[in-house]
Structure formats: C-alpha cells, structure tokens
Amino acid sequence: MVSYKRLSPEDVQFSNAVLSEEPGPVHKVVEVKEPDESEHPLLPRRPYCSATRALIVLGCLLLLLCGAWLLATMFWLHSPSSSHHRRPPSPTPALKPTTQGQSGGERAAATTDPQACSLVQEAWRFDCYPEKGVVVTKEMCEARSCCFIQASTSLPPSGKNGVPWCFYPAGFPSYSLVSASHTAMGLTGKLEKEVKTYYPGDILTLQLEVRYETDTRLRVRITDSTQSRFEVPITVPNATEKAASPSYTVELSKDPFGLIVKRTSTGAVLVNTTVAPLFYADQFLQMSSSLPSQYIYGLGEHRSSFLHDIHWNTLTMWARDVPPMELTNLYGVHPFYLAMEEGGSSHGFFLLNSNAMDVALQPAPAITWRTIGGILDFYVFLGPDPASVIGQYQEVIGYPAMPIYWALGYHLCRWGYGSSNVTWDVVRKMRNYGIPQDVQWNDIDYMERFMDFTLDPAAFSTLPDMVKDLHAHQQRYVMILDPGISSTQAEGSYWPYDEGLRRGVFINDSDGNTLIGKVWPGLTAFPDFTDHVTHEWWHDNLKRFHDKVPFDGVWIDMNEPSNFLDGSTKGCPINSLEMPPYTPGVLGGLLRSKTLCASAQQKTSTHYNMHSLYGLMEAKASACALKRILGKRPFVISRSSFPSQGKYSGHWLGDNRSQWKDLYTSISGMLTFNLLGIPLVGADICGFGDQPDEELCIRWTQLGAFYPFSRNHNTLDVKPQDPPSFSPMACTAMKEALLLRYSLFPFLYTLFHHAHTLGHTVARPLVFEFPQDVRTYGIDRQFLLGKGLLVTPVLDPGVDYVVGYFPQGLWYDYYTGDSVLSKGEELKLKAPLDKINLHMREGVVLPTQRPNTTLWVSSGQPLHLVASLSEDGSANGDVFWDDGESIDTYETNEYAHVVFTVVKNTMTSQVLRDHVEASYITVETASFYGVKVKPTSVTVNTLDAPFSYRANQVLTVTDLGLNLGQNFTISWM
C-alpha cells in the first residue's frame, strides 16, 4: 500500500495504461501485466508447484521483504534530519500496483497500527482532526481511522497550533486516477473513490483538468464530474493554445491520486500532493502539498512578519472587521503564496476559491489548503525570479489600475473633526506651515446620523464651500462611505433606502426578505454588489451626493461586510450553511460572527460563497461609478479586498494603533499587498487608535512618506496628530519628510506605471532584487522603492541610529552621494530624529523634481536626475509622463516615455514615445554619484556646460534647460 508519508515524485509509478503515446512532460501510465511465456521464450520452464508449496514460498518471500523494509525504515529514521528538511520522506521500498480490474476505492482500509504510526516523522504529520477548540482523544481520533500519538515537543504558545496528535496513517482512503487522456490544452482525468470520509457529502467521482496555459503558468482544476459547483466570479484569462515549451513537468500518481509539479531546469519539486489524502466533500475540500523550502510569503490578510512562520501556523481566511492582530483572519482574503527555492528561484501558487478556509503551514515543510466550498482551481507560476512570479500572478487576476496623480500625495484625515469648519482650519494650518497636502478626508462624522449620502446640516453645513476652496488650491476631497444603508427612516424621507427597496438591490435572508443588520446608523440593509442593478443604484446615489458636495474620491469602509450583530436582527436559520460540518478558525467561531448570515441570498450565490468578495464587488461598483461621474481615473480606497482588487482600488491596512510595534508591522503589510497586486497601500500614519506620541509620529511620518499610499488618520477622543499639532521641531521634521516624498513624485509615478503595465511591485522586499542572498529572505525592517532606492527607517524609540542590511554591491547615500562597498553586511547608520536613511543602489537613474505643497504645482517643476554609477560607470532609469488623470492614457498612447542610460561617461536620453505633456517639463540639473576621476570638461549636446565636482566623487551639472520631450546627451571627460 502506498504511504502518503513516504512517496517521493521520483518513485511515482502508474498502472493500467490510459494515456496516449504522445510525448510530453506528463508521464505515461504504464500497463502492468502478468508475465507471458511467449514474451520470454529463453526462460527455462519450471514444473508447476502445489498450492501448499506455493503458499510456503510466497510467505517466505513476504517475510524477507518485510524484514528488509523494516531495516531500511529504521536506517532512514535514524539518518540526520537535515537531509530531509526540503523534501518528503523516502518512499516505501516496494509499491504494490493495483491489479487489473480493481477499482481504486477497493484498497485496504487505513491502518492505525501504533508501530506504523510511530514511523511518521512529526514534521510530516498531517492533521486528521483540525477542528478548533476540540480536545481530541484517542477514541475520537481512531473513530476517523487516524493515528493518535501525543507529540514529544512542548506545548505551543497560546493561540498557535503544535504537532497534531491525530494524523493520517499510511493508506488512508483517497482518490484513484482511473482514466486519463490528452487534450489540446493538456490532459483530463477521472478520479474515483469508494471509501467515504468522516465529513458528509463525499463526492466520489471527480473530473481532473490539467491546462498548460503558458510556458510559466500551469492551471489545474478538480471539479465534481456530475454537477456544477460554485466558482469565483472574477475574470481570468482563457488560454486557447497549449504551452509550447513549458518550464515545468507534471507527473500523476494513480493510486492514490496525486499531482507532482517540477521545475524542468532544476528538477525542484514545487507541488507534491501525494503527501496526504485528498478530500472532496460538499463542504470540506482539502489538499496538501510539500513545499520546496521554508520561505513562504503572501497568504493575506494577516498581521505577521513578511516571511511566514511555517512551524504549525494556520492562517484562516474569511473577511472580518477586526483591528489588526496576530493569528486572526483580517479584512481581506488572498489565497496566494510565493515560495523561494534552493538556488534563488521562486514560484507562486494561487487557489481560486472564496469560501472560508484554513491554510496550514508545517515544518516538513508542507502546506494544507482546507476550504468549505467551491472547487479546487489552482495555478502554479514558474517565475523563475520573484518579480516574474508576481507579474504572472497579475496576468491572471489583472494588473492594478494606474492611479490618478494626486493619489500619490499626502492625505490627511481623522474621525472626530466634529465640523467642516474645524476640518477647514486644519487645511489652512497645513498651508500656513508650507506642509505638502493634496487631499483632505472626512470620516463618518460628516454624515447626518451616520447615514450614507447625507450631510450633517448643522456641523458640516460649510462642507461644500470647503471643497470648493480645496479645488481652488488644486487640492482634493475624499469622504467615507459604509455599505450599510439605514432602514428605519420614515418612508419617503431617505432616498437611498426607498429607491433601493424599489429596485430590489439589498441582500435577502434565506426567506427572501431584506436582511436587516446593524451598523453605525442603526438598523441597516446591505446592497448586493453582485447585481448590476445595484451598481446603477450606487452610481445614482453617488451622483446625487456629488451634485451637493463635489468630492473627488471615495473611501469604502466596513465592507467585509461588518455588522454589529451576528447575522441579522432575526438571527440566522439552523442549517448546513450556518453550521457547516467543518468551520475554519474564524474569529468568533461562527461564519456569521459580526457579519451577515451565511445563508443570506445574493444574486450570484449565497453569502456563504460570496462573503469575502463583498469588498471587491463594492470597489468595482464604486470605481465604475466615479469614472462616469468625474470622467477621470477613479480614486477608491477599500478596507476589504480579494484577488483582482488592484484593478479597482487601493487598500489601507486598517485600524492600527499608535504603537511602535504597529509602525514595524506596517512594512510587512505594505510589502505583502504589493505581492498581492494592490500596490497602492499604506498604514494610518501615526496610528489610528491610542494617543499619538511625538517621537513615534515623527518616525512614522518619515516611514509613511515612502508608503505608496500616504495618509495620516486617527480616531475620536484622542489628541490631533496632523503635523502642525506638534512642536515646531516635530512639525519641521515631518514637513521635510513630506517634501522629500514630493520630490520623488516622477520616480514614484513611473513605478506605478510599471505596476499597471507589467505587474511590478512599487514597494519591494529586498529578496526580490537579491534572490541569491538568503540573508534578504526575512528582512522586513527595510524595503526598496523600485529596484534602486533602499529605505532604512527607525522603528524603535529613543535611538539616534539604525542598523540596516546592505546586499553585496555598491551603495550611495541618497542625500550626499557618499559610497559604501558592501560585502553583504549590516551597517550602523546615524539616524537623528529629523532624518530617514535612504540609499541608492548602483546602476540606477532616479528622476526627481523640485517639490512644492501640492503635486499639481510640483509636477510642473523642472527635473533633477540622479545617477548612481556602478563599478563600470553604467546606470539606467526611465520616466513615464502623462496628464496625470485621464483614463487609459497608456492604452490609448497618450503619454511620454523617456529612458536614461549612462555608459562610458555619457548619459543619453532616448524618447521612446513623445507627448505634449513632456514638452512642458525641463531637465534642470543632473548629478552623477561615483565619478571616479574629476572631469576636465562637461558637454551637453556637444556644448560646454557648467559643472561641479566634490571629493566624494559626485559630479553635478547645472543650468541644463533641456526639454524632456527631446533626446539629449551629457558627457564628461
């Protein structure tokens, strides 16, 4: 019997031929037949033995085989563990093929023999009793035909899992591959089993589809062969041609069924589902796989380090309104991970499933996907470098939208301004201090009794005038909207609810009546954004309110969706949707906890299936509405998110606190969401909850100046934390940090162009640029913007220095041009309270700009180019430029793109695409870091130009007056 614990891909064999002879990466299924004498005419014939003699001989052979197996197993168990940390344990010495005509479901029952169970290493024990809050006894475990052994390790920390005491034995019933055939895109197969599991609704016959979609993308679908099941309603590519030269091979194990995906170039095993049984019941689908290493990233949204802990770490996914905390399902759901492999290659894995799920990591290393609905529809992305993996992932879910230019400015908000006049006063103070600000926001206190699309007629009566003033100063206004619509107003007095009822836009309970919950305005109904009718109703509401208050963007909050009740005012029915056979480890223990009933009805499907898509669907409706109302790129920031969210909105990291720990964790959150295709992301600068601390707020503003989305926001009943509210010293330090951000706008805007068109990250972990350097794999106290600007913030109180890691190569202090040649080492850097450390990587050209208090003014200022030369004197960079707000400028060729190259003492500007917008911009100065010999002359387009040269090898050329839209050269001798 094949052991799930010891089958390695190298030993996978097949029986009963079902594949054609077509060559390809999929192994053929080889028929196993009884020996035929005619095939071996040279073998001597022996007389037939009696039945007794045959049995005796057979028994002796079996004893010898068993003895050899035990000796081999004992030797393997006592071998050094280090040799097995990146691959499944070795296979059993002999695999017994299924005899012809025998069904895969007729295998022997799983054994729970204590000796056999004890042979399974702790790291490779896959949990057979994953239910939360259950003390598993031996009797309970063995009732599931599983092994029960108390783990030898100490108890895990509170809230974390440990080595499972109840785990699958060798031979636990699973599916068999009973037939397979090649198709135009790959292959299909039929999976069957007869032994039912301990969860109800086993689906005994499954359809397997393996699609070779591109050379670096494999898609696998496992579905019910007899009836359709819920599938996630997002648009993904429909590949029509099979990959010509795939960088992966696929192998199939027949009995038990398993899928093995290898990287062709190295033989590295990326996916191996033979390590544990496959489950496919109506409300319990489970698939496990080995991992090639312990380096796993992604799997949002959770508060953790950037690099996930794989030591019995279960990550639950089910959108939930809860302030960020560890070991808890948070606002968004992203079942995607990126894994590093030995040698620096990487790959990605995406499970396209929106149902509540647990994702369990264990130190084998291995992963288990455990979801309670939908289908198993997953992609493997081959990279091979991390940036390519993320680009390939976004080819499936969609590239992020190009943001409107002012989205990259500084945003200011708080809950508790109390009036539009107080809000206006804050804006005026920012102007008086000369502090950059592009956008002013309001939280729910602008509303009348917290009702959407209303305005407090007393406290916020001057809001329309304030917005006009913002626009007069080329600033913008954003306000919050929650999805809950008040349902208790007198008929005819509240158009959003009355019209919503008339059009039938609200989510219904299982009886077909409008489901009523409770949020800030009291009792509320919830729009069903899966219905196009709702999109039109949402647009009409936004348009009516825009006619009163001409806002420029929307902030959609509470869209998990959040509910102050569990389910509804009437509770929820008792059925399998509300109480499924298995409930993942969601906060509150119930799917309806602080949200809607799982059995609630939406147009597309039940809330059980659609819950974690709510924020995505609302973001899509909001972005589409804003495009129609404003005729410009929409600006939407959403709390809840799902794959493809970046097409419609950005994201902020939720209701954090004014604590140093939150300052640190904001970096991992920002980096993770860049992996997940939502680059417009940031945390509430200075923290949302708790009293703000001046030192913390200075350091946070310095870090927040490098968030892709930079917003300061805090809550009720705490001191204000806008920069002018602090001491003159603190205010000046914050102002300088924000001016620095504004000076980098051309660089940041270009990074977003590459994110929009190529799927690149904006904020980038060091491992992406240095995948060969294992020391970068866990770094989340530093990050890069693009490939070349290293940010090393201070994350601890009371210090005037910071330690940062510098990968091997030449690095330059951004401010001075001083160089350091690193061997791949940590350096102690001076970090006074008014400074954040920035370093340029060698070989980069950064386009910068003279900053001002709004991006409207800044973006018209002359450019200053900064080139950090490599050892051979080379560097390169580019700038993307358009009008900053029109929709689809790249798609309609309404943009300029200029590339800068430095080679052999000459910078060359090449205009790849010209546009009138570029003609408005001049290049005023250029600095070159790392010019080893002082030049005797500098020429610009062959004409002599003034220059300066400093002892730290910095050459600066001034008074250039070059047009960005025209090619130029700068040379020195």
Side-chain angles (χ1 to χ4, degrees):
M1 182 58 64
V2 175
S3 166
Y4 291 102
K5 306 301 181 296
R6 300 191 184 91
L7 180 63
S8 70
E10 291 78 4
D11 294 276
V12 172
Q13 298 182 9
F14 305 92
S15 61
N16 298 339
V18 287
L19 295 184
S20 72
E21 294 298 320
E22 176 187 336
V26 179
H27 283 204
K28 293 186 295 182
V29 176
V30 180
E31 182 177 357
V32 178
K33 299 186 295 184
E34 293 294 328
D36 184 83
E37 291 178 359
S38 61
E39 296 178 2
H40 308 282
L42 300 180
L43 293 178
R45 298 187 60 178
R46 296 184 181 273
Y48 291 106
C49 301
S50 67
T52 303
R53 183 178 179 184
L55 287 173
I56 291 173
V57 172
L58 182 59
C60 292
L61 287 173
L62 287 174
L63 283 172
L64 288 171
L65 284 172
C66 288
W69 179 83
L70 285 172
L71 286 172
T73 302
M74 291 172 65
F75 175 79
W76 167 68
L77 284 173
H78 286 85
S79 62
S81 60
S82 62
S83 64
H84 300 288
H85 76 290
R86 289 185 180 175
R87 59 183 175 86
S90 302
T92 45
L95 300 180
K96 181 180 178 181
T98 305
T99 58
Q100 277 187 303
Q102 182 182 20
S103 132
E106 296 173 352
R107 300 193 308 272
T111 176
T112 56
D113 175 67
Q115 184 176 4
C117 291
S118 66
L119 297 178
V120 181
Q121 292 177 297
E122 286 187 351
W124 288 97
R125 293 178 182 175
F126 291 85
D127 200 348
C128 179
Y129 221 115
E131 282 77 1
K132 301 297 181 286
V134 177
V135 178
V136 182
T137 65
K138 182 177 181 180
E139 291 73 19
M140 294 166 62
C141 179
E142 291 183 349
R144 293 187 170 186
S145 299
C146 288
C147 296
F148 183 85
I149 299 177
Q150 294 187 12
S152 60
T153 54
S154 58
L155 292 176
S158 176
K160 290 203 71 173
N161 298 321
V163 179
W165 292 9
C166 183
F167 56 93
Y168 298 111
F172 191 93
S174 186
Y175 290 86
S176 296
L177 176 66
V178 297
S179 65
S181 59
H182 286 286
T183 66
M185 287 299 298
L187 63 89
T188 61
K190 183 179 181 181
L191 310 181
E192 286 186 351
K193 76 169 182 177
E194 293 185 358
V195 179
K196 294 187 176 181
T197 62
Y198 43 84
Y199 289 113
D202 272 296
I203 300 172
L204 300 179
T205 304
L206 302 174
Q207 180 74 22
L208 168 71
E209 182 182 14
V210 181
R211 297 173 57 85
Y212 298 72
E213 295 200 333
T214 72
D215 287 346
T216 56
R217 185 176 80 226
L218 174 73
R219 186 181 187 183
V220 178
R221 288 168 49 88
I222 303 176
T223 58
D224 186 338
S225 64
T226 59
Q227 59 183 0
S228 62
R229 292 173 57 82
F230 172 76
E231 298 188 29
V232 179
I234 66 172
T235 302
V236 296
N238 180 28
T240 57
E241 292 185 9
K242 183 179 178 181
S245 302
S247 54
Y248 49 85
T249 58
V250 177
E251 301 172 5
L252 300 178
S253 167
K254 181 182 185 302
D255 189 8
F257 165 72
L259 176 86
I260 301 95
V261 181
K262 295 180 180 180
R263 184 179 299 282
T264 305
S265 60
T266 65
V269 178
L270 312 184
V271 177
N272 179 2
T273 69
T274 67
V275 296
L278 171 68
F279 281 68
Y280 209 117
D282 184 40
Q283 291 181 272
F284 187 85
L285 293 77
Q286 180 173 282
M287 178 181 66
S288 300
S289 173
S290 62
L291 294 168
S293 79
Q294 61 183 317
Y295 302 111
I296 304 298
Y297 311 87
L299 298 175
E301 181 175 8
H302 298 91
R303 175 162 157 157
S304 69
S305 56
F306 177 56
L307 174 63
H308 281 298
D309 179 8
I310 63 164
H311 291 85
W312 308 109
N313 182 17
T314 297
L315 304 168
T316 300
M317 297 190 186
W318 179 250
R320 171 64 194 252
D321 171 9
V322 60
M325 61 181 69
E326 287 79 2
L327 305 174
T328 304
N329 53 299
L330 300 182
Y331 311 110
V333 166
H334 294 269
F336 166 85
Y337 71 74
L338 180 143
M340 296 302 297
E341 304 161 29
E342 188 172 349
S345 293
S346 62
H347 71 276
F349 185 102
F350 172 42
L351 177 63
L352 183 53
N353 185 290
S354 62
N355 290 91
M357 71 175 74
D358 283 333
V359 183
L361 298 170
Q362 63 190 76
I367 187 170
T368 295
W369 301 88
R370 195 179 293 130
T371 183
I372 61 172
I375 65 172
L376 295 179
D377 183 359
F378 59 89
Y379 294 83
V380 183
F381 307 101
L382 272 290
D385 59 279
S388 297
V389 171
I390 300 306
Q392 292 155 15
Y393 173 50
Q394 291 181 69
E395 286 177 2
V396 171
I397 65 171
Y399 293 137
M402 183 68 186
I404 196 165
Y405 77 95
W406 52 259
L408 306 187
Y410 181 62
H411 302 242
L412 191 56
C413 183
R414 81 163 295 173
W415 181 20
Y417 284 128
S419 72
S420 51
N421 286 336
V422 171
T423 309
W424 205 344
D425 284 343
V426 172
V427 174
R428 292 188 183 108
K429 281 196 298 180
M430 293 285 287
R431 291 176 189 160
N432 291 339
Y433 279 88
I435 301 173
Q437 183 193 4
D438 264 80
V439 194
Q440 181 60 51
W441 297 41
N442 277 122
D443 209 314
I444 59 174
D445 42 347
Y446 81 89
M447 302 175 183
E448 181 180 5
R449 290 172 288 153
F450 305 135
M451 295 189 299
D452 279 352
F453 309 111
T454 67
L455 190 64
D456 184 324
F460 281 81
S461 60
T462 60
L463 183 61
D465 295 327
M466 186 196 82
V467 174
K468 290 178 183 177
D469 177 66
L470 288 169
H471 291 168
H473 288 81
Q474 297 301 328
Q475 294 172 299
R476 303 293 178 259
Y477 179 70
V478 170
M479 84 289 185
I480 194 171
L481 286 173
D482 294 339
I485 301 296
S486 176
S487 62
T488 58
Q489 308 310 305
E491 186 176 352
S493 66
Y494 185 46
W495 193 86
Y497 182 69
D498 293 337
E499 186 66 12
L501 276 183
R502 189 185 71 80
R503 300 193 197 181
V505 305
F506 298 119
I507 294 175
N508 291 329
D509 61 23
S510 57
D511 294 326
N513 303 311
T514 300
L515 184 146
I516 301 298
K518 183 178 181 181
V519 204
W520 294 114
L523 299 183
T524 54
F526 296 86
D528 177 7
F529 289 105
T530 69
D531 191 343
H532 182 70
V533 173
T534 307
H535 285 221
E536 287 298 313
W537 165 86
W538 191 246
H539 163 270
D540 294 347
N541 277 286
L542 285 166
K543 179 65 169 65
R544 286 164 58 93
F545 191 71
H546 188 267
D547 290 342
K548 300 175 185 177
V549 181
F551 60 85
D552 300 285
V554 295
W555 167 23
I556 50 177
D557 192 12
M558 306 287 285
N559 56 349
E560 291 72 31
S562 180
N563 184 0
F564 295 167
L565 307 175
D566 289 345
S568 75
T569 55
K570 299 191 299 184
C572 302
I574 300 175
N575 57 34
S576 62
L577 294 181
E578 302 295 340
M579 305 292 291
Y582 175 80
T583 300
V586 298
L587 182 64
L590 298 169
L591 297 182
R592 62 178 175 270
S593 181
K594 297 299 178 279
T595 188
L596 312 186
C597 296
S599 56
Q601 300 295 312
Q602 299 184 234
K603 180 174 182 180
T604 299
S605 186
T606 61
H607 197 68
Y608 181 90
N609 293 323
M610 298 299 299
H611 168 81
S612 292
L613 293 161
Y614 196 89
L616 168 64
M617 297 302 178
E618 185 188 17
K620 183 177 181 180
S622 300
C624 293
L626 290 183
K627 281 185 180 180
R628 294 167 60 187
I629 295 167
L630 302 174
K632 300 176 182 179
R633 297 175 205 165
F635 177 80
V636 181
I637 293 292
S638 174
R639 190 167 73 181
S640 188
S641 61
F642 192 82
S644 77
Q645 189 90 22
K647 294 166 61 177
Y648 310 108
S649 83
H651 171 64
W652 97 104
L653 296 173
D655 296 337
N656 60 1
R657 303 175 70 181
S658 296
Q659 297 184 359
W660 290 91
K661 180 179 180 180
D662 292 66
L663 173 65
Y664 157 63
T665 58
S666 72
I667 297 178
S668 61
M670 170 185 65
L671 295 178
T672 295
F673 271 93
N674 270 264
L675 262 66
L676 300 175
I678 310 176
L680 188 63
V681 61
D684 283 343
I685 295 172
C686 300
F688 174 72
D690 296 344
Q691 292 290 347
D693 169 80
E694 181 167 283
E695 181 191 5
L696 173 62
C697 204
I698 292 172
R699 293 303 193 188
W700 210 323
T701 304
Q702 291 169 345
L703 171 59
F706 295 91
Y707 291 159
F709 167 58
S710 182
R711 182 186 73 161
N712 179 320
H713 178 46
N714 69 333
T715 189
L716 283 169
D717 303 324
V718 298
K719 297 176 184 178
Q721 62 188 33
D722 53 273
S725 296
F726 293 97
S727 70
M729 179 278 297
C731 184
T732 299
M734 296 179 196
K735 173 182 175 179
E736 291 303 313
L738 295 174
L739 286 171
L740 179 57
R741 175 187 180 85
Y742 275 50
S743 73
L744 290 166
F745 170 73
F747 172 57
L748 190 58
Y749 192 67
T750 301
L751 291 179
F752 270 96
H753 163 68
H754 294 311
H756 171 60
T757 58
L758 300 171
H760 289 182
T761 53
V762 174
R764 190 169 302 172
L766 273 70
V767 61
F768 270 45
E769 292 297 322
F770 303 94
Q772 303 294 329
D773 185 350
V774 179
R775 294 188 67 182
T776 66
Y777 287 15
I779 292 178
D780 56 10
R781 297 177 69 89
Q782 296 170 273
F783 61 94
L784 294 159
L785 283 184
K787 70 176 183 179
L789 188 61
L790 177 63
V791 184
T792 307
V794 173
L795 304 175
D796 300 298
V799 299
D800 60 1
Y801 69 91
V802 64
V803 175
Y805 180 72
F806 287 74
Q808 182 176 356
L810 190 59
W811 297 86
Y812 297 90
D813 184 300
Y814 175 75
Y815 306 104
T816 66
D818 292 344
S819 64
V820 58
L821 183 60
S822 174
K823 298 177 293 184
E825 57 196 304
E826 289 187 339
L827 299 176
K828 185 176 180 179
L829 309 170
K830 293 180 180 179
L833 192 54
D834 61 352
K835 177 184 179 181
I836 182 170
N837 276 276
L838 297 178
H839 289 82
M840 289 181 65
R841 180 184 180 186
E842 63 177 304
V844 171
V845 177
L846 289 188
T848 70
Q849 208 160 27
R850 188 187 308 159
N852 211 291
T853 54
T854 66
L855 286 178
W856 174 263
V857 178
S858 289
S859 62
Q861 300 302 305
L863 295 183
H864 173 56
L865 303 178
V866 184
S868 55
L869 304 184
S870 61
E871 283 288 348
D872 64 2
S874 63
N876 62 80
D878 67 333
V879 65
F880 172 86
W881 210 251
D882 60 10
D883 68 7
E885 58 185 16
S886 294
I887 299 168
D888 294 338
T889 57
Y890 174 74
E891 290 75 9
T892 57
N893 295 322
E894 295 293 328
Y895 68 93
H897 188 202
V898 182
V899 173
F900 307 106
T901 305
V902 183
V903 178
K904 296 181 179 179
N905 298 350
T906 299
M907 169 180 272
T908 303
S909 158
Q910 183 180 8
V911 180
L912 298 184
R913 175 172 291 279
D914 191 18
H915 190 267
V916 65
E917 291 291 335
S919 68
Y920 305 145
I921 304 299
T922 60
V923 178
E924 183 178 44
T925 59
S927 293
F928 301 88
Y929 295 169
V931 177
K932 298 177 182 179
V933 178
K934 182 179 179 178
T936 57
S937 66
V938 174
T939 59
V940 177
N941 292 335
T942 70
L943 299 177
D944 288 341
F947 69 93
S948 64
Y949 183 81
R950 298 201 304 268
N952 62 349
Q953 301 184 342
V954 174
L955 168 67
T956 300
V957 188
T958 58
D959 302 327
L960 293 173
L962 299 168
N963 190 308
L964 180 63
Q966 297 177 3
N967 295 338
F968 63 80
T969 60
I970 303 174
S971 300
W972 62 92
M973 296 178 61

